[in-house]
Amino acid sequence: MAKRSSLSIRIVEGKNLPAKDITGSSDPYCIVKVDNEPIIRTATVWKTLCPFWGEEYQVHLPPTFHAVAFYVMDEDALSRDDVIGKVCLTRDTLAAHPKGFSGWAHLTEVDPDEEVQGEIHLRLEVVPGTPAGRLRCSVLEARDLAPKDRNGASDPFVRVRYNGRTQETSIVKKSCYPRWNETFEFDLEEGAAEALCVEAWDWDLVSRNDFLGKVVFNVQRLWAAQQEEGWFRLQPDQSKSRRGEGSLGSLQLEVRLRDETVLPSGCYQPLVQLLCREVKLGTQGPGQLIPLIEETTSTECRQGVATNLLKLFLGQGLAKDFLDLLFQLELGRTSEANTLFRSNSLASKSMESFLKVVGMRYLHGVLGPIIDRVFEEKKYVELDPSKVEVKDVGCSGLHRPQTEAEVLEQSAQTLRSHLGALLSALSRSVRACPAVVRATFRQLFRRVRERFPGAQHENVPFIAVTSFLCLRFLSPAIMAPKLFHLRERHADARTSRTLLLLAKAVQNVGNMDTPASRAKEAWMEPLQPTVRQGVAQLKDFITKLVDIEEKEELDLQRTLSLQAPPVKEGPLFIHRTKGKGPLMSSFKKLHFSLTTEALSFAKTPGSKKSALIKLANIRAAEKVEEKSFGSSHVMQVIYEDDAGKPQTVYLQCKCVNELNQWLSALRKVSISNPGLLGSYHPGVFRGDKWSCCHQKDKSDLGCDKTRSRVTLQEWNDPLDHDLEAQLICRHLLGVEAALREKHRELSAGTEAGSVHTGPGEAPEDALAQLLQVLRDLQEAHRSGLASPPPSEPRHPGPLQT
């Protein structure tokens, strides 16, 4: 069994932030730290005290993490960014909210004495003697201490206090990973209630010493244990009074902690096979488990359940069949064509997840150039006369006011250009669309045409396709390109308005230019010629898109499997060592590509690639201390060369998000490698010693632990079949009572004389099997299962209800 923890984080918005700039405003952004390790940076929202971010992340962590903190910062172009305040949520706080922490939290002042991190290695023992013995404290080493000096390090020493006596270690200069190996002794007194306090400090020559953290021990407990040794987490000094809550503003957050115990793959086979059988049988199947799952799933849980089911069936090669089943179920209960797929049903949510999981690379190819053009042009665009801003423009050296009519006409021209470019790109993209997406849309198109035949419903199959393609995929990506990884930063107010108007135009085209869509916003009328032309283009595109036969689908999938896309690619700066002697901070820009086989590089994206590291040879991917090269956002990839010798390559990223994304990608693709390191050096070997811990043996064991299990979830992550099965299992166990009640109803109906005419088992039999499988999985979790259950769903006896 494997224990996994993940944090689902949504940073919504801030309000009433203090002004940090002379303009009376701020440029706020958020940094998210897990145990003082920065893992996420939001975009900066310029010139506001009430920023909106709306950014979502999912972070996978070891179960041993302690806290997640949200720092609100003010970006400054010329000086160091200002700290506005922070919100800290401990693991215990998150565990106390099974459905997640959601709401506004007051920002608190950031006190340097509370900004501590790292651990200290101590050995404590009680030495027998007279009159009451002696207390011996050995201060061995510390790791990951907070850098308090400008050089990116600290000058740490340790102060040990007990019963009025204080002793100090020597000072280790310029290190956050010091080693002392010093021992101190104190006289013990019988029944003394005094605590032993071990404090870490950063020594400063001129100013006062900086506090690095402390550990406090109960001597009575030590007396009983006689000896204790280990790594102890440094704690902050919380004795100071805080600034009044609310004076620094508030932050709206949604944070959910999930701890999952994932069983071996064989344990989930009965559940997976049972669900797959239901999907293969479709609406003719006996059990109808998928409708029961939808019926017992609340609206707030539906998106998560839809995503888990979709990924599970995608891994089994049944995503198209699963979605086809949902299409048929939705069509069976829909009487009006204009309400089709407009609700947040399991079909709508599953299709939405399907397009994001499978079609994101396709989306980037179609939308990317148009979005980039909008951001680069930064034109003022407005079609609503009530919102037009008349401004001065230059004209042949003479300045005259621009009329409202000119603003509206120029805006219409700009939007027509963007919309035309988008529709043209879409029309050319039929072959680029993933085969499984085309086949799924083909099934949707056919099912809707069968359900709503006749000339009066001619457009309904097209609208069914566009309700997902345009309304739930293209338009949301246009309005929020950062959330779909199309841009690194949020758009400013002017660009956001252009994107919103473009998204509205795409929605009108997707709605097939119905009178109802035109009537909502009459001021969109200048775009009507382009919209009408776009409707014809879109219908022609959809006709070609769904014209794919089974053989072509298989051929395209086979071709795609032979051309595995890169896991991650982009420009990075690689460190080059010139000659002998100290390392120099010389980085060269190259284009890197990470696949499931190797990390390679080239001079440009289109030039020939050279393999740098074979994937199977990677032993660790970790961050590098800023002081090592005098540069931030540097990572190291530790690997073995063909001769089996350890090597390290240093790569610099442009920002903290890019750094963590590359680390995540490298860790995920190498997670199953044999010989992964448990420790590493966060510094470099310069001259004759490591810059981090000052050890002189280059082959010395690392002074910090690796963080191979800290990763960010990305849209192109490989599927984790066991995790998806566990998440579905947990959800079904949560609605087990409702499923049992449904089983009672079905059983009562059978006993009352209802006759089952379908093939195979009666509906209650499939549900009974599901309930039995859930019982087996629940028992496996309780007992820590040593061997997997049977590989086939078994037919249980009568349920004890």
Side-chain angles (χ1 to χ4, degrees):
M1 291 196 298
K3 291 187 176 180
R4 309 183 191 183
S5 294
S6 65
L7 279 175
S8 297
I9 297 172
R10 184 165 188 256
I11 305 170
V12 186
E13 59 182 321
K15 68 178 180 182
N16 302 328
L17 302 182
K20 290 290 184 177
D21 300 336
I22 57 174
T23 58
S25 187
S26 291
D27 304 313
Y29 66 91
C30 286
I31 290 283
V32 183
K33 295 183 179 182
V34 175
D35 291 344
N36 293 97
E37 183 80 12
I39 56 170
I40 294 166
R41 184 202 193 277
T42 69
T44 301
V45 183
W46 304 100
K47 298 178 181 177
T48 180
L49 301 180
C50 296
F52 178 83
W53 290 287
E55 298 188 19
E56 298 181 18
Y57 304 91
Q58 186 151 345
V59 188
H60 300 288
L61 301 160
T64 53
F65 87 95
H66 297 91
V68 55
F70 301 83
Y71 291 78
V72 179
M73 311 287 291
D74 169 55
E75 182 169 337
D76 287 320
L78 302 178
S79 60
R80 178 176 292 184
D81 294 351
D82 299 314
V83 182
I84 295 176
K86 75 169 184 177
V87 172
C88 186
L89 300 175
T90 65
R91 194 187 200 288
D92 292 339
T93 300
L94 294 171
H97 295 78
K99 293 186 177 181
F101 172 87
S102 179
W104 289 94
H106 292 298
L107 292 171
T108 59
E109 191 174 9
V110 176
D111 185 342
D113 287 347
E114 291 188 18
E115 297 303 297
V116 303
Q117 66 186 63
E119 300 171 307
I120 189 166
H121 188 187
L122 303 171
R123 185 190 303 121
L124 306 166
E125 54 187 325
V126 175
V127 182
T130 56
R134 295 177 67 78
L135 174 60
R136 181 178 295 161
C137 175
S138 297
V139 181
L140 305 177
E141 57 186 322
R143 63 188 179 197
D144 196 27
L145 298 179
K148 294 290 185 178
D149 300 334
R150 288 188 176 184
N151 59 17
S154 288
D155 304 318
F157 69 94
V158 172
R159 183 176 293 158
V160 185
R161 293 190 287 108
Y162 175 70
N163 203 21
R165 281 192 62 201
T166 300
Q167 299 188 63
E168 295 181 353
T169 67
S170 56
I171 299 168
V172 179
K173 294 291 187 70
K174 299 179 182 178
S175 176
C176 292
Y177 298 85
R179 295 185 180 181
W180 293 284
N181 292 317
E182 298 182 28
T183 301
F184 308 98
E185 291 191 355
F186 299 89
D187 292 325
L188 281 173
E189 295 181 7
E190 193 76 45
E194 184 79 13
L196 174 72
C197 184
V198 180
E199 298 175 341
W201 292 83
D202 166 50
W203 176 82
D204 285 318
L205 178 63
V206 179
S207 59
R208 74 177 185 88
N209 297 335
D210 298 310
F211 180 70
L212 294 175
K214 67 179 181 179
V215 186
V216 179
F217 295 93
N218 185 311
V219 174
Q220 295 299 322
R221 188 171 63 84
L222 281 174
W223 207 310
Q226 290 295 301
Q227 185 173 347
E228 187 171 354
E229 180 179 350
W231 286 94
F232 300 92
R233 185 166 174 259
L234 291 168
Q235 302 294 330
D237 181 7
Q238 297 178 327
S239 59
K240 295 182 180 179
S241 60
R242 289 179 174 274
R243 186 171 165 180
E245 282 195 348
S247 58
L248 297 175
S250 303
L251 190 62
Q252 188 181 7
L253 299 168
E254 295 174 12
V255 186
R256 185 176 184 181
L257 169 65
R258 282 185 170 174
D259 289 319
E260 298 294 344
T261 300
V262 181
L263 301 168
S265 296
C267 304
Y268 297 108
Q269 282 307 302
L271 175 62
V272 173
Q273 290 173 5
L274 187 59
L275 293 173
C276 288
R277 187 184 66 183
E278 293 292 309
V279 167
K280 288 175 183 176
L281 290 171
T283 55
Q284 305 305 313
Q288 298 288 291
L289 291 183
I290 301 300
L292 287 176
I293 291 173
E294 179 172 21
E295 184 181 332
T296 54
T297 301
S298 64
T299 305
E300 61 181 6
C301 298
R302 196 163 290 158
Q303 182 66 74
V305 173
T307 302
N308 298 143
L309 285 169
L310 184 278
K311 288 183 176 181
L312 178 77
F313 290 120
L314 197 60
Q316 299 296 320
L318 291 172
K320 181 182 68 174
D321 305 84
F322 168 61
L323 292 166
D324 186 39
L325 172 58
L326 295 179
F327 296 154
Q328 294 179 69
L329 293 172
E330 178 111 349
L331 286 163
R333 59 175 179 255
T334 303
S335 57
E336 296 292 332
N338 59 357
T339 62
L340 188 60
F341 301 117
R342 298 292 174 166
S343 64
N344 290 322
S345 62
L346 190 62
S348 298
K349 293 296 184 183
S350 298
M351 192 63 181
E352 197 174 316
S353 296
F354 172 68
L355 290 173
K356 288 180 180 178
V357 172
V358 179
M360 194 67 83
R361 194 176 299 277
Y362 168 69
L363 177 81
H364 283 212
V366 173
L367 268 188
I370 287 91
I371 297 297
D372 289 343
R373 181 179 154 196
V374 173
F375 271 77
E376 289 162 8
E377 288 182 354
K378 293 181 181 289
K379 289 184 178 179
Y380 175 71
V381 174
E382 184 54 73
L383 291 181
D384 186 351
S386 65
K387 296 181 179 180
V388 170
E389 297 176 6
V390 177
K391 55 190 178 67
D392 289 345
V393 293
C395 179
S396 303
L398 300 175
H399 291 272
R400 63 174 179 79
Q402 190 179 30
T403 65
E404 180 180 298
E406 288 175 329
V407 172
L408 293 174
E409 177 55 32
Q410 288 179 8
S411 298
Q413 286 180 4
T414 301
L415 286 171
R416 283 194 290 264
S417 174
H418 291 322
L419 182 59
L422 194 158
L423 291 168
S424 296
L426 197 62
S427 299
R428 296 190 302 268
S429 70
V430 173
R431 298 289 296 177
C433 186
V436 67
V437 174
R438 293 183 62 186
T440 302
F441 276 134
R442 177 195 65 204
Q443 291 297 99
L444 173 62
F445 192 88
R446 289 178 179 176
R447 296 292 185 192
V448 174
R449 188 166 56 186
E450 290 168 4
R451 174 67 181 83
F452 294 100
Q456 72 273 25
H457 297 306
E458 179 188 357
N459 283 339
V460 175
F462 293 98
I463 293 175
V465 173
T466 61
S467 67
F468 294 115
L469 182 64
C470 295
L471 275 61
R472 293 177 181 263
F473 196 41
L474 293 177
S475 288
I478 293 169
M479 287 190 288
K482 185 180 187 300
L483 303 186
F484 284 75
H485 310 282
L486 287 161
R487 298 290 295 188
E488 292 180 2
R489 289 178 172 266
H490 285 303
D492 57 24
R494 174 177 288 189
T495 306
S496 291
R497 183 61 181 170
T498 304
L499 293 172
L500 177 62
L501 293 171
L502 179 59
K504 285 178 179 290
V506 171
Q507 289 173 356
N508 286 347
V509 175
N511 287 324
M512 298 291 143
D513 191 30
T514 58
S517 64
R518 287 200 303 270
K520 287 181 180 178
E521 290 158 334
W523 42 265
M524 295 283 288
E525 183 63 31
L527 300 183
Q528 282 310 116
T530 310
V531 169
R532 281 192 292 271
Q533 183 182 350
V535 169
Q537 284 180 271
L538 192 59
K539 290 178 74 171
D540 181 62
F541 164 73
I542 292 172
T543 302
K544 294 175 181 176
L545 189 74
V546 301
D547 184 19
I548 178 173
E549 299 303 325
E550 297 287 346
K551 184 179 182 303
E552 185 183 0
E553 178 190 349
L554 293 172
D555 290 342
L556 286 171
Q557 287 179 341
R558 196 175 297 113
T559 303
L560 187 63
S561 66
L562 296 174
Q563 302 171 348
V567 176
K568 186 164 181 61
E569 60 181 342
L572 291 173
F573 295 84
I574 186 170
H575 181 267
R576 297 292 195 190
T577 305
K578 297 182 179 179
K580 297 181 180 180
L583 292 173
M584 303 297 290
S585 296
S586 171
F587 286 90
K588 181 179 180 181
K589 185 177 181 180
L590 295 170
H591 186 85
F592 280 80
S593 177
L594 176 66
T595 67
T596 52
E597 295 180 354
L599 175 66
S600 57
F601 67 91
K603 287 186 177 180
T604 62
S607 56
K608 185 179 178 181
K609 294 182 174 63
S610 301
L612 177 65
I613 304 171
K614 292 178 181 176
L615 197 66
N617 294 348
I618 293 178
R619 297 293 173 260
E622 299 294 335
K623 295 180 181 178
V624 177
E625 281 187 301
E626 185 174 337
K627 71 168 187 173
S628 300
F629 295 106
S631 302
S632 54
H633 317 314
V634 178
M635 64 178 174
Q636 56 180 310
V637 183
I638 305 169
Y639 65 101
E640 289 183 358
D641 60 20
D642 293 337
K645 293 182 179 179
Q647 304 288 345
T648 303
V649 62
Y650 298 97
L651 303 170
Q652 185 178 20
C653 306
K654 62 183 178 182
C655 64
V656 66
N657 282 351
E658 187 179 70
L659 171 65
N660 284 304
Q661 287 163 10
W662 271 102
L663 286 171
S664 290
L666 287 162
R667 288 167 179 171
K668 288 170 193 171
V669 295
S670 62
I671 192 65
S672 300
N673 284 2
L676 288 177
L677 298 179
S679 62
Y680 79 108
H681 286 284
V684 294
F685 196 79
R686 177 178 285 118
D688 62 347
K689 64 182 179 181
W690 286 101
S691 64
C692 44
C693 58
H694 300 173
Q695 297 306 300
K696 301 199 173 192
D697 184 357
K698 191 173 183 179
S699 61
D700 182 61
L701 288 175
C703 54
D704 198 6
K705 55 189 176 183
T706 56
R707 294 166 175 81
S708 59
R709 296 180 66 183
V710 179
T711 58
L712 296 172
Q713 183 165 306
E714 299 287 346
W715 60 269
N716 58 349
D717 278 353
L719 296 174
D720 189 334
H721 311 299
D722 295 342
L723 178 60
E724 301 306 333
Q726 167 57 29
L727 293 173
I728 293 168
C729 170
R730 188 186 61 178
H731 170 73
L732 293 176
L733 286 171
V735 297
E736 186 181 11
L739 293 173
R740 288 188 177 279
E741 180 61 33
K742 193 68 180 178
H743 181 265
R744 276 197 293 267
E745 293 175 9
L746 291 171
S747 299
T750 302
E751 292 170 4
S754 59
V755 180
H756 171 60
T757 57
E761 306 93 345
E764 65 271 16
D765 289 338
L767 183 52
Q769 289 180 51
L770 176 62
L771 291 168
Q772 181 61 54
V773 167
L774 293 176
R775 273 210 299 251
D776 290 343
L777 285 167
Q778 198 169 31
E779 183 58 33
H781 277 284
R782 287 200 194 102
S783 60
L785 190 74
S787 58
S791 59
E792 291 292 336
R794 55 194 172 102
H795 297 259
L799 287 171
Q800 301 298 318
T801 52

